[in-house]
């Protein structure tokens, strides 16, 4: 059973308002930084409505999400390697630029066009390392993308990065991964101890809360407001324990 861990309303409205966006001068992301904080508190459908009205651009949303993702990974170890995250950032920026072009032409593909989403490390993405958080598959770039990934990209979704997981999906706390364990963003511990980059070499303390699993990285990214949705999976019931994104 596959599931999309996300902040999603049942219906997505469509609105007009492109003309004002196209005719008014474009403000830079830096000048609008104070205006973007609300993105961590809105649903996918609400963001889609804002993109439809051109209240905000796809490029701005993507840049905001990518920055939040980088910050969240440093604090909670919810992504994969730093090198991989940089490659995903470049990929996402290109996808967001294309989504922005469609947005300004009034030709969005649908409700998910321009929405940043994250992909668990067990979902194949053509040409991108898919290791299932295991050293066994380290460095393996699949020649194809999984059906769910293809459908998201066909809808115009911006894949903003990989999310950490239990190795091969066998776990319920995202504590056993080649990238190290994921920290629940609501845990008393603020971040992995200093000197353990990427989460390696440390273990959750007795007072720490579980991130759930095996899709704890996706749940963490959604819960801390860095992602609007995370593509996860359920191997044998692991998706049903309480998680930060539940």
């Amino acid at each position: 059973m596959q599931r999309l861990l996300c902040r999603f309303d049942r219906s997505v409205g469509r609105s007009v308002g492109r003309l004002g966006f196209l005719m008014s001068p474009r403000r830079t992301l830096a000048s609008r930084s104070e205006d973007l904080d609300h993105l961590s508190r809105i649903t996918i459908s609400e963001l889609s409505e804002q993109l439809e009205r051109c209240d905000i651009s796809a490029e701005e949303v993507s840049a905001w999400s990518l920055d939040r993702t980088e910050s969240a990974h440093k604090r909670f170890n919810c992504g994969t390697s730093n090198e991989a995250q940089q490659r995903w950032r470049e990929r996402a920026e290109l996808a967001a630029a294309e989504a922005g072009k469609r947005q300004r032409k009034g030709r969005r593909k649908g409700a998910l066009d321009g929405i940043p989403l994250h992909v668990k490390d067990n979902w194949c993405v053509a040409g991108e390392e898919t290791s299932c958080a295991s050293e066994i598959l380290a460095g393996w770039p699949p020649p194809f993308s999984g059906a769910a990934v293809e459908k998201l990209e066909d809808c115009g979704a911006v894949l903003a990065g990989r999310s950490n997981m239990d190795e091969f999906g066998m776990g319920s706390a995202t504590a056993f991964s080649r990238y190290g364990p994921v920290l629940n963003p609501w845990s008393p511990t603020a971040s992995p101890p200093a000197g353990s980059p990427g989460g390696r070499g440390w273990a959750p303390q007795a007072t720490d809360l579980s991130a759930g699993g095996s899709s704890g990285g996706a749940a963490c990214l959604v819960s801390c407001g860095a992602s609007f949705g995370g593509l996860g999976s359920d191997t044998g019931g692991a998706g049903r324990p309480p998680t930060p994104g539940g």
Side-chain angles (χ1 to χ4, degrees), residues 6-243:
C6 60
R7 294 172 275 147
F8 201 101
D9 287 349
R10 287 185 176 273
S11 60
V12 177
R14 299 180 64 86
S15 324
V16 296
R18 306 185 186 96
L19 185 59
F21 178 84
L22 294 172
M23 295 180 65
S24 61
R26 169 85 179 280
R27 287 183 288 174
T28 65
L29 179 60
S31 68
R32 296 193 60 190
S33 59
E34 69 281 2
D35 299 336
L36 301 181
D37 289 342
H38 75 285
L39 292 178
S40 65
R41 301 184 298 272
I42 65 175
T43 64
I44 285 180
S45 60
E46 290 169 337
L47 175 57
S48 188
E49 290 172 357
Q50 291 189 18
L51 289 168
E52 188 68 23
R53 294 193 303 266
C54 292
D55 293 341
I56 191 171
S57 73
E59 294 93 335
E60 288 174 323
V61 173
S62 177
W64 177 88
S65 179
L66 290 168
D67 288 344
R68 296 271 296 202
T69 296
E70 182 177 343
S71 176
H73 178 54
K74 289 178 180 178
R75 292 188 61 191
F76 311 121
N77 199 44
C78 47
T80 55
S81 69
N82 294 330
E83 295 78 10
Q85 294 299 113
Q86 180 57 38
R87 292 195 302 272
W88 277 93
R89 185 182 188 99
E90 295 168 359
R91 179 191 181 107
E93 287 172 345
L94 292 175
E98 292 302 313
K101 291 177 183 178
R102 294 190 294 270
Q103 177 192 17
R104 288 183 283 278
K105 292 178 181 179
R107 298 177 181 175
R108 293 183 69 224
K109 291 183 176 181
L112 292 179
D113 200 352
I115 304 290
L117 303 172
H118 289 74
V119 183
K120 188 177 178 180
D121 195 31
N122 63 347
W123 288 92
C124 289
V125 180
E128 298 291 344
E129 181 183 23
T130 304
S131 74
C132 294
S134 174
E135 295 290 355
I136 296 174
L137 293 178
W140 178 63
F144 54 82
S145 292
V149 173
E150 287 185 340
K151 289 181 178 180
L152 287 176
E153 292 188 312
D154 287 345
C155 291
V158 176
L159 303 185
R162 285 284 194 193
S163 60
N164 200 352
M165 59 176 285
D166 279 302
E167 185 175 12
F168 291 115
M170 302 302 292
S172 57
T174 317
F176 303 99
S177 164
R178 65 180 287 230
Y179 303 110
V182 173
L183 186 69
N184 188 315
W186 299 97
S187 178
T189 304
S191 61
S196 56
R200 294 177 181 270
W202 73 280
Q205 303 301 306
T207 56
D208 290 336
L209 302 174
S210 166
S214 61
S215 306
C220 177
L221 284 162
V222 173
S223 181
C224 69
S227 179
F228 291 92
L231 191 60
S233 62
D234 184 329
T235 305
R240 278 159 264 182
T243 68

